[in-house]
Amino acid sequence: MMANKDNSVNIKSGAAKAAGAYHHGDLRAAVIAAGLRRLEQGDGAELGLRALARDVGVSATALYRHFPDKEALLDALADEGLRRLGALQAQAWLKAGGAVAGFKATGIAYVRFAHDEPALFRLSFTRQMSERSPDGASDGGEVAYNLLRAGVGEALPGVEDPDTAALHAWALVHGLAMLILDRRIEWDEVKVAEVVGLTFGGVG
Amino acid sequence: MMANKDNSVNIKSGAAKAAGAYHHGDLRAAVIAAGLRRLEQGDGAELGLRALARDVGVSATALYRHFPDKEALLDALADEGLRRLGALQAQAWLKAGGAVAGFKATGIAYVRFAHDEPALFRLSFTRQMSERSPDGASDGGEVAYNLLRAGVGEALPGVEDPDTAALHAWALVHGLAMLILDRRIEWDEVKVAEVVGLTFGGVG
DNA sequence: CTCGATATGTTTACAGTGACAACATGATGG
DNA sequence: CCATCATGTTGTCACTGTAAACATATCGAG
């Protein structure tokens, strides 16, 4: 069964599935974990169905018992990415103590996440927002956006059009993120802070 | 077909004879044209080698006489996209009469291009800027960026840090563009003009 | 003009992919 | 205990990018 002659990918020797994921031990989560692991290793992430299945130690078509097709799998990975992004932003906001400084920190965290996990970030935003789960399952992206809107409201109370301001802020950091991971500009946290601060008047 | 744009494609090394018609008659250009046509039709652009070859009426492997591999083909398409973007921006700049209005128009043209040709725009910026043609063949992206820098210099003479301002402007429109074509926000020219104008102080 | 040389296009084939149908297996509940 | 169902496997199909071998058109030289 095993007889794995060449393990091409180094897995962080953890106890991911050693506990008992043979037959009914939550394969779906294992596959997603493997996908995230692969996305973390280099931007040119090859995540094929077969490779992913081999990482988990399962046959390729087994994945179809948990995802209707590859797109669904990628959607799941993308959603996880958005969730992580939202978590990092919330963390940055709290750490900076909210207000204008917190707002800036949120934006910088956004760009830093894109730089730290380029493949995951790109995947998360490239996925075509499919209509799904209308019964209020927050899709991870809304978390981040709501945080942004709240940030605008709390950090910039005097702004005239908060909607436009929020859009502006989002577009700015998203543009920086994309340009960085497409190698159009260099990653430079000081520079990013400078640009972000230029608009929302905080100190450099 | 329209007049042949002689600057549309770099001619391979070799004798400097004018692009002659051999068997098919400048297939390389035809393939690129077919690719662009396909990219213009819907965002979910399927550009496979076989499909592309069939469009031109040639067998699949014939493309390998003009491109080392598919990546090179996509690179050529991406470059053409950047060139068109630059042209549109220059046109917008002139039409608006330069200065601040021209600068704003340039930014709006950027976003509009992304909206009008989503697949081409995405392709153009997703391609990993590979080192190539060190003998000063402008890669199309530089044209756009130089235009931007020039715009900052001319339109915003009083700005303290033009480099940061240029980066800011680019990131803003690029972010708007990406968010629009990833369906994160709706395309709304008025809204775009509003956001762009919010930063570079012109009227709405 | 004839004759190679070279640039271009075709055929065939191969490894890899996502996906489906049929089959096997382990767990579960009446 | 056995039927049922969820899960995983084997085999296969259409499709993809790409390489090798073959075919042909165009051009320069004699």
Side-chain angles (χ1 to χ4, degrees):
Chain A
M1 180 178 171
M2 288 299 291
N4 200 355
K5 47 187 172 184
D6 185 8
N7 201 356
S8 61
V9 177
N10 283 347
I11 302 179
K12 297 175 185 176
S13 58
K17 76 180 184 75
Y22 305 99
H23 203 158
H24 66 284
D26 200 355
L27 194 154
R28 176 178 170 112
V31 170
I32 291 183
L36 290 172
R37 216 176 305 128
R38 228 164 237 272
L39 285 173
E40 287 165 7
Q41 292 176 341
D43 195 350
E46 306 176 10
L47 64 175
L49 241 36
R50 282 164 165 90
L52 229 28
R54 191 166 358 101
D55 283 359
V56 182
V58 102
S59 210
T61 54
L63 307 190
Y64 284 90
R65 300 293 164 183
H66 297 267
F67 304 92
D69 59 353
K70 190 186 181 183
E71 293 295 293
L73 208 181
L74 295 183
D75 279 345
L77 287 171
D79 208 62
E80 177 63 21
L82 290 178
R83 206 169 290 116
R84 290 190 181 186
L85 171 58
L88 284 177
Q89 286 186 271
Q91 188 177 328
W93 167 271
L94 290 176
K95 189 173 179 181
V100 180
F103 191 60
K104 267 186 62 177
T106 294
I108 295 174
Y110 191 100
V111 183
R112 184 182 359 237
F113 177 72
H115 169 257
D116 288 346
E117 306 245 34
L120 182 55
F121 182 90
R122 173 173 274 129
L123 178 70
S124 293
F125 279 96
T126 295
R127 224 91 277 277
Q128 214 80 291
M129 306 227 303
S130 57
E131 312 287 343
R132 75 179 147 185
S133 67
D135 55 339
S138 72
D139 96 313
E142 298 186 33
V143 175
Y145 189 63
N146 289 337
L147 208 76
L148 171 66
R149 292 294 304 276
V152 170
E154 186 176 341
L156 310 170
V159 79
E160 46 194 280
D161 188 348
D163 213 6
T164 300
L167 178 56
H168 181 114
W170 191 12
L172 181 63
V173 292
H174 193 73
L176 282 172
M178 286 311 251
L179 290 174
I180 285 171
L181 61 79
D182 280 338
R183 303 268 171 76
R184 248 67 199 189
I185 62 178
E186 290 267 328
W187 159 246
D188 179 351
E189 175 147 350
V190 175
K191 195 85 184 163
V192 168
E194 199 176 343
V195 172
V196 172
L198 187 146
T199 315
F200 305 100
V203 291
Chain B
M1 188 169 180
M2 288 170 288
N4 191 6
K5 302 197 290 184
D6 104 75
N7 66 343
S8 64
V9 178
N10 287 346
I11 301 177
K12 279 186 74 173
S13 62
K17 64 182 177 175
Y22 285 82
H23 224 168
H24 176 277
D26 200 355
L27 193 153
R28 175 174 172 117
V31 170
I32 291 184
L36 290 172
R37 215 176 307 129
R38 227 163 237 272
L39 285 173
E40 286 164 7
Q41 292 176 342
D43 196 349
E46 306 176 9
L47 63 177
L49 279 189
R50 281 166 166 88
L52 229 26
R54 188 162 0 99
D55 282 358
V56 182
V58 102
S59 211
T61 54
L63 307 188
Y64 283 89
R65 301 293 161 177
H66 298 268
F67 305 94
D69 58 355
K70 190 186 182 183
E71 293 295 293
L73 209 182
L74 296 183
D75 279 345
L77 288 171
D79 208 63
E80 178 63 20
L82 290 177
R83 204 168 293 117
R84 291 190 182 185
L85 171 57
L88 284 177
Q89 287 186 271
Q91 187 177 330
W93 167 270
L94 290 177
K95 188 173 180 182
V100 180
F103 191 60
K104 268 188 58 178
T106 295
I108 295 174
Y110 191 101
V111 182
R112 185 188 350 243
F113 177 72
H115 170 257
D116 287 347
E117 307 244 33
L120 181 56
F121 182 91
R122 173 174 273 129
L123 179 70
S124 294
F125 279 96
T126 295
R127 224 91 278 279
Q128 215 78 294
M129 305 225 307
S130 58
E131 311 288 345
R132 73 177 148 187
S133 67
D135 55 341
S138 73
D139 96 315
E142 298 185 33
V143 174
Y145 188 63
N146 290 335
L147 207 76
L148 170 66
R149 293 294 304 277
V152 170
E154 185 175 342
L156 310 169
V159 78
E160 45 195 277
D161 188 348
D163 212 8
T164 300
L167 178 55
H168 181 113
W170 192 12
L172 180 63
V173 291
H174 193 72
L176 282 172
M178 286 312 252
L179 290 174
I180 285 171
L181 62 79
D182 280 338
R183 302 268 171 76
R184 248 66 200 191
I185 61 179
E186 289 268 329
W187 160 247
D188 179 352
E189 175 148 350
V190 175
K191 194 86 184 161
V192 168
E194 198 176 342
V195 172
V196 171
L198 186 146
T199 316
F200 306 100
V203 290

